[in-house]
Amino acid sequence: MSAQTVQRARRQAHSKVARFRLDVAEWTVLRSALLSHAPGAGTPAGFEPESFGLDPDTPLTDEQRARAWAGLQLRGLASHVPAEDTVTALTPPCVLGMLQLLESEVRVDVASWAGDVVVNQAVAWSAGRTAALSRRRRQAGVTDGEAVLEQEPVVEVSLSAAGGLLNEVVRALPGPTASFGPEHRSPVRVGWPQSAAIARAMRSGRQDVAAHLAGLPTSALSVLGSLAGDVTGGASVSAVRLRGAEALAFRGVWLWTEADVVELVDASSHAVTLRRSDLGQVRQELLSALTGLLHAEEVL
């Protein structure tokens, strides 16, 4: 296959991704309409009305609700403003794409941070289609030792009819770092008393493991041969196959520094096992894991 053919295929695949930046009210009525189609289902955690500071029973006034539906209609996601939240008011392409979030075969959840910005993303894949939700919050300070996160009033929705699962996951990761070759990639065990909290978070499947790991001493990064000791971001990625007899899952945790990436390989009550990496290696590891979950490399 020629380079021109590859580039053309990539452009075609990229053109099939539709992205919408919805305000919280628009996302709230869209979510309610989807759940009217499947009352027993649920959208990804972190995207419920209460996650945005809204009342779970009556999140919007009638005026806010009507304005939100009008906004969806202007974006081509709704055909009209309905009297009540119903999936029949959504356009067929919107329903076809968004139902992946309720009936997916593979789900990937990403929790990442870079500087003072926190990103939560949920990506769903089924039958070659991908749907993704993403929200950002900004750290506005610290109160009683806990970070205060300021909500950005936007939910980004991405719909793709051409796979795109890997690309959506990578979009939620912190920025790229330089590749340094295959040297110094051997795992290194680093004694660290605070690793007990990380081990518990990993076992319980929590998404804030990378944030816990951010307190790693600079000396630990030096042992790995890291080019820079300042941690600039981190990410936790968990993926699971929701259908089929065989239960398959993947979990990855990384820290970003100014020049490279550090992977968390394992954690115990008194130590963490780390490995120096880079964005290319992270992408390759995700590709391998997601391919195993999907059993079809071409959809990535």
Side-chain angles (χ1 to χ4, degrees):
M1 183 180 293
S2 68
Q4 289 182 338
T5 302
V6 171
Q7 291 176 354
R8 183 165 59 251
R10 287 176 176 172
R11 285 196 300 269
Q12 290 172 347
H14 180 72
S15 66
K16 294 181 180 179
V17 179
R19 303 195 192 280
F20 304 90
R21 288 175 58 84
L22 307 182
D23 65 30
V24 174
E26 291 169 340
W27 160 246
T28 299
V29 297
L30 175 56
R31 174 183 181 274
S32 179
L34 290 173
L35 293 179
S36 73
H37 174 77
T43 50
F47 293 88
E48 309 91 341
E50 52 267 38
S51 298
F52 298 96
L54 302 177
D55 186 297
D57 298 319
T58 56
L60 304 174
T61 65
D62 290 341
E63 181 181 356
Q64 290 171 329
R65 183 188 156 281
R67 187 164 57 245
W69 273 107
L72 294 181
Q73 186 177 12
L74 285 174
R75 298 172 190 274
L77 296 174
S79 57
H80 62 282
V81 176
E84 59 182 17
D85 297 342
T86 172
V87 75
T88 58
L90 300 175
T91 60
C94 175
V95 175
L96 185 61
M98 294 299 295
L99 283 182
Q100 310 301 319
L101 295 169
L102 307 183
E103 305 167 351
S104 59
E105 295 179 35
V106 173
R107 260 281 303 280
V108 184
D109 292 292
V110 183
S112 70
W113 56 272
D116 62 349
V117 176
V118 176
V119 177
N120 287 96
Q121 184 198 54
V123 190
W125 179 94
S126 184
R129 295 179 179 274
T130 300
L133 298 175
S134 181
R135 61 180 292 207
R136 294 159 55 95
R137 288 170 291 171
R138 189 175 298 276
Q139 184 171 330
V142 178
T143 301
D144 297 329
E146 294 289 333
V148 177
L149 297 178
E150 188 177 83
Q151 164 72 33
E152 289 190 10
V154 172
V155 175
E156 183 179 271
V157 176
S158 301
L159 303 174
S160 173
L165 177 57
L166 177 63
N167 287 336
E168 289 301 321
V169 173
V170 172
R171 286 185 75 244
L173 301 180
T177 54
S179 297
F180 57 83
E183 66 275 10
H184 305 302
R185 294 190 187 272
S186 299
V188 176
R189 191 170 186 268
V190 179
W192 188 35
Q194 287 84 348
S195 61
I198 295 175
R200 286 194 296 269
M202 290 179 67
R203 284 195 292 269
S204 61
R206 286 169 51 178
Q207 286 292 303
D208 58 352
V209 182
H212 280 295
L213 192 60
L216 193 70
T218 302
S219 57
L221 299 176
S222 300
V223 170
L224 294 171
S226 177
L227 299 177
D230 294 331
V231 174
T232 60
S236 300
V237 178
S238 60
V240 62
R241 184 175 181 85
L242 301 173
R243 296 184 186 178
E246 187 178 3
L248 299 173
F250 166 81
R251 187 75 184 277
V253 180
W254 299 270
L255 285 182
W256 268 249
T257 74
E258 295 176 351
D260 48 25
V261 181
V262 174
E263 179 183 4
L264 175 64
V265 179
D266 193 14
S268 67
S269 298
H270 302 287
V272 290
T273 302
L274 307 170
R275 176 167 51 208
R276 190 177 170 210
S277 186
D278 57 38
L279 187 62
Q281 185 68 19
V282 173
R283 185 183 178 95
Q284 185 59 41
E285 188 171 350
L286 289 171
L287 173 62
S288 177
L290 296 177
T291 298
L293 294 178
L294 299 179
H295 298 288
E297 186 173 347
E298 64 270 16
V299 302
L300 295 173

